Amino acid sequence: MSAVPAGDPSGHTHDRAREPGGEQSHEQGHEQGPALAGLRERKKQRTRIALIDAALDLFLAKGYEATTIDEIVAAVEVSQRTFFRYFGTKEDVVTNFLTEHDQVLEEALTARPAGERPFTALFESLRVVLRTIAESDPADGARFRRVRQVIEATPSLMAAQMARYSASAEALAAEIARREGVDMEADLRPRIVVSFYLAAVKVAFEDCARHDIWDAGTVAARVEEAVALVARTMRDWV
């Protein structure tokens, strides 16, 4: 039996891995992989934002409680299955927009240098979040405003918002306690320093709302200014 591959009259074997065509195809595959992945991520983000925007439109027009998930997905022309890829519940459409910033803050705090003073670590971590806000989609300012309107008009969402604040405060206090090597159950200082920090953030956001300021960059600057005032206020007024 001949050892020559069928269809090769020359009797020479071919190393297909070295063929120019095969090599080019391999390289193209590597180039297209990240491009396709990036395209998929952008499409997913567009779908997620479309669901948020449609939900907020409906919540403000009909009320949160009266709006169904069926109505939200119909407005975007996707299935419920698609909705649940992005959100676990209807409530998540509203709260996830805010909890993303909580996660960024917690991760930034964990990454701060060891030995940094607790309030400084919180302040510098906040700056990471504020940069994220300032560099975000300009439309996020309008979304944040509408999210706040929906929450304030819905008692169940107000309760969820309070629970979110509490969970975030506990996570931050636990990280401060870990960094300082103290037992949070026996030492109140981690919760106290986090409470000062969160109070300043809350005051700044409420001040922006009162003055109808929703531009992400301006909000970020106001929040940073308010947190910076904490140390001075404690020094001068306490």
Side-chain angles (χ1 to χ4, degrees):
M1 181 180 292
S2 171
V4 178
D8 188 346
S10 67
H12 295 297
T13 59
H14 290 273
D15 184 354
R16 293 189 178 274
R18 295 182 182 178
E19 290 180 0
E23 189 173 323
Q24 184 179 15
S25 175
H26 183 67
E27 290 177 355
Q28 285 176 344
H30 277 295
E31 291 172 359
Q32 290 174 358
L36 288 173
L39 181 63
R40 283 194 295 269
E41 284 304 311
R42 289 193 296 274
K43 184 177 179 181
K44 286 168 63 177
Q45 182 64 4
R46 284 196 299 270
T47 301
R48 178 178 172 277
I49 290 298
L51 286 165
I52 290 173
D53 287 343
L56 292 175
D57 286 343
L58 287 163
F59 295 158
L60 290 170
K62 297 184 56 178
Y64 172 81
E65 302 293 355
T67 300
T68 66
I69 291 175
D70 280 337
E71 290 171 318
I72 296 170
V73 299
V76 184
E77 297 183 340
V78 297
S79 66
Q80 277 207 13
R81 182 178 178 182
T82 297
F83 177 91
F84 287 115
R85 285 199 196 109
Y86 298 92
F87 307 104
T89 64
K90 184 173 71 171
E91 181 183 294
D92 287 346
V93 180
V94 180
T95 59
N96 276 13
F97 190 72
L98 304 174
T99 54
E100 288 176 355
H101 294 150
D102 296 341
Q103 292 166 2
V104 172
L105 177 64
E106 290 165 19
E107 290 168 4
L109 179 60
T110 301
R112 294 305 303 167
E116 191 171 51
R117 292 172 68 86
F119 198 83
T120 301
L122 284 166
F123 190 23
E124 294 303 323
S125 300
L126 172 67
R127 283 180 162 157
V128 175
V129 179
L130 296 180
R131 281 197 299 272
T132 302
I133 293 172
E135 295 168 2
S136 65
D137 180 354
D140 279 352
R143 288 188 189 100
F144 183 78
R145 179 181 188 177
R146 297 202 298 160
V147 164
R148 186 181 176 94
Q149 289 172 335
V150 171
I151 289 174
E152 290 179 347
T154 312
S156 63
L157 291 178
M158 285 291 288
Q161 177 80 329
M162 293 303 296
R164 183 182 72 84
Y165 274 131
S166 295
S168 178
E170 282 297 288
L172 294 174
E175 177 58 20
I176 292 295
R178 184 195 68 79
R179 291 168 59 86
E180 295 300 305
V182 300
D183 179 1
M184 194 168 72
E185 299 309 314
D187 192 328
L188 296 178
R189 289 176 297 173
R191 287 191 174 95
I192 288 173
V193 73
V194 168
S195 294
F196 276 127
Y197 159 79
L198 289 177
V201 172
K202 182 173 180 288
V203 166
F205 275 119
E206 289 176 348
D207 182 64
C208 288
R210 276 196 304 273
H211 293 89
D212 203 30
I213 296 170
W214 300 101
D215 170 70
T218 305
V219 170
R222 289 288 183 97
V223 172
E224 183 169 354
E225 180 183 350
V227 174
L229 274 172
V230 171
R232 192 191 319 165
T233 302
M234 292 298 294
R235 184 185 65 240
D236 297 343
W237 285 21
V238 175

